[in-house]
Amino acid sequence: MTTNRTKYANLQGIIPALITPYGADGKISDPVTRQLVRHLIAQGASGFYLSGSTGEGFMQTIEERQYLLEIVMDEVKKEVPVIAHVGAMDTDTAVRLTRHAHDTGATAVSAVTPFYYKHGSEQIKRHYIDIAEAADIPLIAYHFPDMTGSKQSADFYRELSRVEGIIGLKFTSTNVYEMQQIMDVCGEDFLVFNGPDEICLAGLTMGAVGAIGSTYNIMPAKFAELYKLFRQGKIAEARAIQYEVNRVIHELLKYDFIAFEREILRLQGIDTGVPRKPIQQLTDAQRADIYETAKRFSFLNVQ
């Protein structure tokens, strides 16, 4: 019997939530996107997650989100899986992006729950079903209550897990007990991906098949090694790496995380430009402080 775990066995490991590179003109940069993708694959990335929170998807037009996916798909040429985040405040936009992702050859789509307006669980469930029915492409739901204000129960996800085409969940919360409860009611064939980078090992230990995260843009090799050690049962060694990366994350939290990561990438030789306003625009003094901080961590490989 074919299960989701066997059918989608490539959807595992360390999957960066890709930073969207911009040029000096503020438009998506084709060459830098390709540079970043190749760099991350060489450093052990198992796939990519596009146009989510880290990728500033909600600050881009539909056409820009489609363009980014087309660049990445052309660059990876199915070397690794690509998940297109199609989340939007309205169902029609999510459906349109889903159909494009299918036509472009993406491995899967994902969608955060609609936000700002206070929707009931049945409305959100219908939203997900509409996305799942829009095209023949697997859907990974997205649980991110701190950003969306939508906190769905384990039973809600149990119902979603029974919908054809909905294969898993990106769980972005540090409440690993809640993660376990969702896994328990949905069954092991429902693929759960850890979201918060600072508890990557905890999520894997709880049963996540992989991790989709933001700081995998700036320290992918560290997280790839953590995942490898976990799979080998070397928990103490994996925990030591989690402590290392968390020291960087502790410094990151002094800034907007997107601004911090873009600056680290620039210092690593990959200039992804500045984030779109109103995301924090770093001052020269802040850039200097980030450089001094980054030099303390040799694995960040700043130049």
Side-chain angles (χ1 to χ4, degrees):
M1 178 181 176
T2 301
T3 66
N4 284 341
R5 285 184 178 258
T6 55
K7 186 175 181 180
Y8 304 108
N10 61 337
L11 286 173
Q12 60 179 339
I14 298 301
I15 302 173
L18 195 70
I19 288 275
T20 300
Y22 300 126
D25 58 2
K27 297 179 180 179
I28 294 174
S29 170
D30 181 308
V32 181
T33 298
R34 294 177 187 273
Q35 179 191 14
L36 179 58
V37 164
R38 294 258 54 98
H39 165 75
L40 293 175
I41 290 176
Q43 293 293 309
S46 300
F48 296 103
Y49 187 95
L50 308 187
S51 299
S53 307
T54 302
E56 302 176 39
F58 293 116
M59 306 181 78
Q60 297 163 356
T61 65
I62 291 176
E63 291 74 21
E64 284 178 314
R65 293 169 72 170
Q66 293 173 335
Y67 179 54
L68 178 69
L69 176 59
E70 290 165 6
I71 295 170
V72 174
M73 290 302 299
D74 181 66
E75 184 62 32
V76 304
K77 293 180 171 62
K78 300 189 181 300
E79 183 178 349
V80 296
V82 176
I83 304 168
H85 177 253
V86 299
M89 290 179 65
D90 67 293
T91 303
D92 286 348
T93 295
V95 164
R96 178 177 168 184
L97 289 167
T98 296
R99 290 173 177 157
H100 174 265
H102 169 269
D103 294 344
T104 309
T107 309
V109 295
S110 180
V112 74
T113 55
F115 53 91
Y116 186 77
Y117 296 102
K118 305 301 180 184
H119 305 299
S121 293
E122 284 303 313
Q123 293 164 282
I124 296 172
K125 180 182 176 183
R126 184 67 251 177
H127 174 77
Y128 276 125
I129 292 173
D130 286 343
I131 295 172
E133 292 178 345
D136 184 18
I137 185 171
L139 168 62
I140 298 167
Y142 188 174
H143 179 81
F144 201 175
D146 284 354
M147 292 292 279
T148 64
S150 175
K151 183 176 172 59
Q152 302 304 314
S153 67
D155 285 339
F156 172 84
Y157 290 112
R158 178 182 57 78
E159 293 176 9
L160 275 192
S161 71
R162 277 34 173 192
V163 176
E164 184 176 357
I166 301 181
I167 66 167
L169 176 70
K170 181 179 186 289
F171 183 88
T172 303
S173 166
T174 56
N175 188 338
V176 291
Y177 168 71
E178 186 178 20
M179 175 193 282
Q180 179 270 321
Q181 292 293 291
I182 291 171
M183 291 177 174
D184 195 32
V185 299
C186 292
E188 65 176 22
D189 201 36
F190 191 64
L191 309 179
V192 174
F193 299 84
N194 183 77
D197 304 359
E198 61 271 28
I199 61 162
C200 178
L201 180 59
L204 293 173
T205 302
M206 195 59 74
V209 297
I212 299 169
S214 179
T215 62
Y216 308 160
N217 285 277
I218 62 173
M219 38 189 177
K222 275 292 180 183
F223 280 102
E225 182 65 14
L226 182 155
Y227 181 76
K228 177 182 175 182
L229 290 167
F230 167 75
R231 293 294 296 267
Q232 293 174 343
K234 299 178 180 178
I235 302 303
E237 292 94 328
R239 184 170 61 240
I241 293 178
Q242 184 73 74
Y243 279 29
E244 281 188 281
V245 295
N246 280 4
R247 294 184 188 109
V248 175
I249 292 172
H250 177 74
E251 298 298 327
L252 172 152
L253 293 175
K254 298 174 183 177
Y255 304 87
D256 182 283
F257 75 98
I258 296 175
F260 181 93
E261 289 178 31
R262 285 180 180 275
E263 180 61 14
I264 295 295
L265 283 171
R266 188 184 71 82
L267 294 170
Q268 292 175 343
I270 303 173
D271 190 350
T272 60
V274 297
R276 291 185 171 173
K277 294 179 179 180
I279 296 175
Q280 183 181 25
Q281 308 291 298
L282 297 173
T283 65
D284 289 343
Q286 289 170 327
R287 290 180 185 276
D289 286 343
I290 290 174
Y291 175 64
E292 292 302 318
T293 295
K295 287 196 300 183
R296 293 169 22 211
F297 302 97
S298 61
F299 57 85
L300 288 179
N301 298 315
V302 300
Q303 300 176 2

